[in-house]
Amino acid sequence: MSDQIPTHPAGSTVPTVEPTPDSAPASPIPLGQTPPILDRAPLAYENSAFLNSADGRVIRILAEYTEPLARFRRERIQDTVVFFGSARFHGREEADRALELLDNTGSLAPAPEHEQPASIPEIAQGTASELGRRRAVAAVEMARYYEDARRLAHMITNWAATIPSAGSSRHRFVITSGGGPGIMEAANRGAYEAGGKTIGLNIRLPFEQRPNSYITPALNFEFHYFFMRKLWFAYLAKALVVFPGGFGTIDEMFEVLTLVQTHKLAKNITVVIYGSEYWKKVFNFDWLVDTGAISPGDVELFHFADTPEEAFEMLQQGLTANHLEPESRRQGQHPTAQTIPAISPEELLGPEFARTL
């Protein structure tokens, strides 16, 4: 049987497959000639093309777990108190400072002029738009929340510094935020002004943004994956404070509340929702109970607070009852005695991880 060359109809094209450079067959080498010397191949973990490819995604995800873990160990962070809240408003430090609305969560750019809060002269002259007037009222309220978050973080940091550490030098109940402006900046600022370490878990976004200036440099993180950032919010948290905010704040709040509701975390988290008037306008929790969407006991998973002092009392009681007193009992101390954390392998290994069920 003879070999036959395949034929194709007139006018048709013969499909060809172009070899890739890496898989292209070598050109014939003249007899007696050696091929050129190859450059050394990059190590896999130094190959940026691979690490940034779809095949390298699992490595990038693991890096966003192991790199923060190494830093938390090095900085001896045991646990945290997480603050969520709006990133869109600046605080007002002086009576005459103009209030400004930012363009988006984490953005450094201001919102368009027509979306900005109206100024006092504009309101007095009757030139302010209805939206501007409403935004002006809201901006004053949000500036108050900024100062409240700053004060509350300061109070928690001062109190945490008084907790005996049994010579371990581990840092307890470290204030943690999303690392951006607004309420996040206020929380980091209050801890910074109290002389404590403070953590910023920032996220890389497709517009201009940067971490606020009050984060401890060694604890300034930036994540690509939202879900890895959320893991670190929940992993070390012993308490959560939720200030007024938008989509991001709501998402993060209910993420943690769902973990608490479903008992996925083998620890008790004290959840304080700050600003009852704001949140009760956003969500009708009683209606959720009445319709059977949540159980009556689910509304006991969190507490409302309207002053820094009220929130601090709730947090201090919850952290003491759920964490400090059990640590004392494990040492055989009376619950009212000074609470000294038990020395454990984590003294050497680092943070106290939240076990999951």
Side-chain angles (χ1 to χ4, degrees):
M1 183 174 181
S2 62
D3 294 333
Q4 294 186 358
I5 299 175
T7 59
H8 300 273
S12 66
T13 58
V14 179
T16 60
V17 178
E18 293 293 334
T20 62
D22 291 339
S23 62
S27 301
I29 303 296
L31 188 63
Q33 182 176 335
T34 58
I37 298 174
L38 290 175
D39 293 331
R40 298 178 67 176
L43 295 169
Y45 58 82
E46 293 179 343
N47 186 338
S48 60
F50 164 70
L51 292 176
N52 291 307
S53 70
D55 292 325
R57 182 175 292 118
V58 66
I59 308 298
R60 298 195 300 273
I61 292 171
L62 286 173
E64 292 202 344
Y65 175 80
T66 56
E67 194 271 347
L69 173 60
R71 277 202 264 170
F72 285 131
R73 284 175 172 169
R74 186 167 61 246
E75 294 299 311
R76 304 190 72 78
I77 304 300
Q78 178 168 334
D79 40 32
T80 62
V81 173
V82 173
F83 279 59
F84 292 145
S86 175
R88 299 193 68 189
F89 284 90
H90 288 306
R92 183 169 63 180
E93 296 194 41
E94 302 169 358
D96 59 349
R97 176 174 171 178
L99 293 163
E100 182 182 56
L101 178 65
L102 299 179
D103 185 48
N104 204 337
T105 299
S107 175
L108 294 179
E113 186 63 32
H114 69 275
E115 293 186 13
Q116 292 293 346
S119 65
I120 293 176
E122 289 174 331
I123 295 174
Q125 295 166 11
T127 59
S129 66
E130 180 60 29
L131 175 62
R133 284 193 295 269
R134 292 200 307 270
R135 286 275 168 89
V137 174
V140 172
E141 188 71 3
M142 294 305 293
R144 178 181 73 82
Y145 287 131
Y146 179 103
E147 297 304 331
D148 286 357
R150 178 181 172 186
R151 174 164 170 72
L152 178 58
H154 192 284
M155 296 168 71
I156 295 169
T157 303
N158 276 338
W159 170 65
T162 67
I163 299 171
S165 60
S168 70
S169 74
R170 287 190 295 173
H171 298 280
R172 304 302 306 270
F173 310 136
V174 179
I175 300 299
T176 300
S177 83
I183 296 299
M184 295 179 284
E185 176 187 285
N188 292 130
R189 183 175 182 176
Y192 171 85
E193 290 170 340
K197 289 181 180 291
T198 182
I199 299 167
L201 304 179
N202 224 310
I203 186 75
R204 180 159 296 183
L205 299 170
F207 44 78
E208 183 186 17
Q209 54 91 39
R210 66 165 179 258
N212 68 67
S213 302
Y214 301 101
I215 300 166
T216 301
L219 295 168
N220 176 32
F221 299 90
E222 183 157 302
F223 292 86
H224 174 76
Y225 297 103
F226 263 107
F227 65 88
M228 292 305 299
R229 179 180 184 238
K230 288 180 176 181
L231 179 145
W232 282 113
F233 273 134
Y235 217 175
L236 301 182
K238 297 292 176 62
L240 172 65
V241 189
V242 186
F243 277 78
F247 287 167
T249 301
I250 293 167
D251 171 59
E252 291 158 343
M253 173 175 71
F254 282 107
E255 185 95 35
V256 174
L257 281 176
T258 300
L259 291 173
V260 176
Q261 180 199 46
T262 56
H263 305 288
K264 286 295 290 182
L265 294 177
K267 64 176 178 180
N268 293 313
I269 295 183
T270 302
V271 179
V272 174
I273 298 180
Y274 197 96
S276 59
E277 182 180 1
Y278 177 92
W279 286 112
K280 288 179 180 179
K281 288 179 180 178
V282 176
F283 296 109
N284 188 335
F285 293 101
D286 292 335
W287 178 247
L288 290 175
V289 173
D290 292 344
T291 58
I294 62 174
S295 300
D298 288 339
V299 296
E300 299 175 5
L301 299 176
F302 54 85
H303 312 276
F304 285 110
D306 292 300
T307 67
E309 291 73 19
E310 184 181 13
F312 175 71
E313 183 178 357
M314 293 175 180
L315 291 165
Q316 186 181 38
Q317 289 178 354
L319 292 169
T320 300
N322 294 326
H323 304 290
L324 298 180
E325 288 181 350
E327 289 168 2
S328 293
R329 286 194 291 270
R330 286 196 295 269
Q331 290 187 352
Q333 295 179 324
H334 190 276
T336 59
Q338 276 197 320
T339 54
I340 301 177
I343 298 177
S344 71
E346 288 172 356
E347 291 292 342
L348 300 175
L349 298 179
E352 183 174 281
F353 295 124
R355 292 179 292 114
T356 57
L357 299 178

